[in-house]
Amino acid sequence: MTLSIDPNPATALSPHLKLKHIVQSLPKEVFAKDSTKALLMTVKTIVSVTLGMAAIAYSPWYLLPLAWIFTGTAMTGCFTIGHDCAHRSFSNSRKVNDIVGHLFMLTLIYPFHGWRYGHAKHHKHTNKMDVDNAWQPWRPEAYQDAPTWLQVVYQAMRGRLWWLASLPHWAAVHFDWRKFPEGKTRDDVKFSALFVIIGAAVIFPVMLGTLGIWGFIKFWVVPWLVYHFWMSTFTIVHHTAADIPFTPEGEWNEAIAQLSGTVHCDYPRWVEFLCHDINVHVPHHISTAIPSYRLWEAHAIIKANWGEYIKERKFTWELMKDITDKCHIYEETEFYQSFRDFNANN
């Protein structure tokens, strides 16, 4: 289906713009769930991961890195499916979303509900300083007051080791149901955490017993680390740039944050194919109800109306170097200051 795009010359980014105004500019077609396309997403990922595992099994040692990269990237497609399920954009059935989400995130050892509730906070408070929970920069006083070891970790995760940053986040945030409000939310998170813990307690010994330690590392650990490379990279690029502010709560505007605080980044087409276009990120922040297979259609319409306000990047080493060299400590007027500049002034 091809949508006609009629730019609206009256659209403008202003403090009075509300998110609903942008949502209302999108046709209902971009919100429509298609069970066939959702099924094809799952089939594509299952087939891709299976092919990747076969490549790992049969590749000579010098081709293993390519097989690992392909398989880990294909496993990232499991996350995208779970991501759609968490936003209820995979299926009209809540039960289907929960079952599919739990199963696909189990492959990555991610508790579905723990991630779902935490991620919902990010969408509700995108780039709101002191509230958003995704790649928020530390305030200078928080950095200064942190113990030396934590400063070193923060410097690494904001620097050249950004690609490992999702690992401590995964380990520290999504498994502890005590951090979530009592009642249904905590019960959901507890169920998902136990589902993953029990699943890993069954699957990992079987893998170790049948494949051995090297087989376990080769077939699961290394592809899983490739997945975390993409998880860390996608999420830091989505909302981090020297010209993207984190705004204090009193100054924060939801529509501006979701439209101009979100980066559309073009990755190699094979990456987007395996990851189901998860990096077409602006429409996803305009409305989480848009399924991943409709994101390009929605992006074209949003760009036609508000294109001058959309930030678009291309995934390159220069992009990652710019982010990891500059975007470190919160600064009110310049948005960020680097560790070097901060240390020079303190």
Side-chain angles (χ1 to χ4, degrees):
M1 176 183 64
T2 302
L3 298 176
S4 60
I5 302 173
D6 298 314
N8 181 357
T11 54
L13 199 62
S14 77
H16 305 293
L17 180 69
K18 295 186 181 299
L19 190 61
K20 67 179 182 180
H21 298 148
I22 306 175
V23 174
Q24 289 167 357
S25 74
L26 299 172
K28 63 181 181 180
E29 289 87 349
V30 302
F31 301 98
K33 299 181 185 71
D34 187 320
S35 56
T36 300
K37 289 185 177 181
L39 176 62
L40 287 175
M41 281 178 64
T42 64
V43 171
K44 180 169 74 173
T45 290
I46 292 170
V47 170
S48 298
V49 173
T50 302
L51 289 174
M53 292 298 177
I56 292 172
Y58 294 105
S59 292
W61 65 267
Y62 52 86
L63 291 181
L64 268 179
L66 293 178
W68 282 329
I69 292 170
F70 177 88
T71 307
T73 308
M75 287 170 63
T76 309
C78 294
F79 171 79
T80 306
I81 293 169
H83 175 268
D84 273 20
C85 291
H87 286 299
R88 309 312 194 193
S89 61
F90 182 83
S91 171
N92 287 316
S93 167
R94 183 176 296 270
K95 183 177 291 187
V96 169
N97 284 318
D98 285 349
I99 292 173
V100 174
H102 274 91
L103 291 176
F104 274 84
M105 283 201 160
L106 173 62
T107 64
L108 304 168
I109 314 302
Y110 255 81
F112 175 71
H113 285 306
W115 182 85
R116 181 171 76 88
Y117 285 120
H119 186 63
K121 181 178 180 180
H122 161 63
H123 273 273
K124 188 175 181 179
H125 303 284
T126 301
N127 286 36
K128 184 187 291 184
M129 191 60 193
D130 301 319
V131 183
D132 192 0
N133 57 1
W135 287 102
Q136 179 182 175
W138 282 10
R139 287 186 178 273
E141 55 271 23
Y143 177 73
Q144 286 179 313
D145 292 342
T148 302
W149 70 267
L150 191 53
Q151 289 182 355
V152 171
V153 170
Y154 182 69
Q155 289 177 23
M157 297 300 100
R158 281 281 176 172
R160 295 296 190 263
L161 295 181
W162 88 86
W163 49 277
L164 291 174
S166 63
L167 280 167
H169 187 265
W170 159 79
V173 175
H174 307 302
F175 288 89
D176 189 354
W177 53 82
R178 297 169 300 177
K179 295 180 179 179
F180 294 83
E182 291 187 13
K184 185 179 185 304
T185 298
R186 182 175 293 185
D187 292 342
D188 285 346
V189 175
K190 184 177 182 179
F191 172 83
S192 294
L194 293 175
F195 179 79
V196 167
I197 292 168
I198 294 170
V202 173
I203 295 169
F204 286 174
V206 170
M207 293 182 69
L208 286 166
T210 56
L211 301 173
I213 294 176
W214 169 237
F216 176 67
I217 294 171
K218 183 170 74 168
F219 283 97
W220 192 81
V221 174
V222 178
W224 185 68
L225 291 176
V226 172
Y227 153 72
H228 274 283
F229 168 88
W230 289 122
M231 183 73 169
S232 301
T233 301
F234 292 168
T235 53
I236 193 173
V237 170
H238 281 164
H239 301 282
T240 308
D243 59 342
I244 294 180
F246 270 76
T247 309
E249 188 165 6
E251 304 170 15
W252 184 79
N253 177 285
E254 183 181 25
I256 294 173
Q258 307 294 17
L259 183 63
S260 284
T262 304
V263 174
H264 171 92
C265 187
D266 289 322
Y267 290 80
R269 188 60 205 143
W270 68 272
V271 174
E272 294 290 14
F273 174 81
L274 293 174
C275 299
H276 309 296
D277 294 315
I278 195 172
N279 293 292
V280 186
H281 205 59
V282 177
H284 175 61
H285 264 266
I286 298 304
S287 175
T288 58
I290 302 173
S292 58
Y293 45 81
R294 307 275 191 209
L295 290 173
W296 274 112
E297 300 169 37
H299 181 79
I301 297 167
I302 295 169
K303 188 174 180 178
N305 284 327
W306 286 279
E308 63 183 297
Y309 307 112
I310 293 177
K311 293 180 172 62
E312 295 185 302
R313 304 286 190 269
K314 186 178 179 62
F315 178 63
T316 61
W317 168 244
E318 286 73 20
L319 171 66
M320 300 313 302
K321 185 175 185 298
D322 188 62
I323 291 173
T324 56
D325 280 350
K326 298 177 181 178
C327 301
H328 299 153
I329 306 293
Y330 176 70
E331 206 283 325
E332 290 185 5
T333 57
E334 298 294 330
F335 309 150
Y336 289 97
Q337 56 183 318
S338 67
F339 292 123
R340 177 180 296 178
D341 289 343
F342 176 81
N343 292 329
N345 296 325
N346 290 275

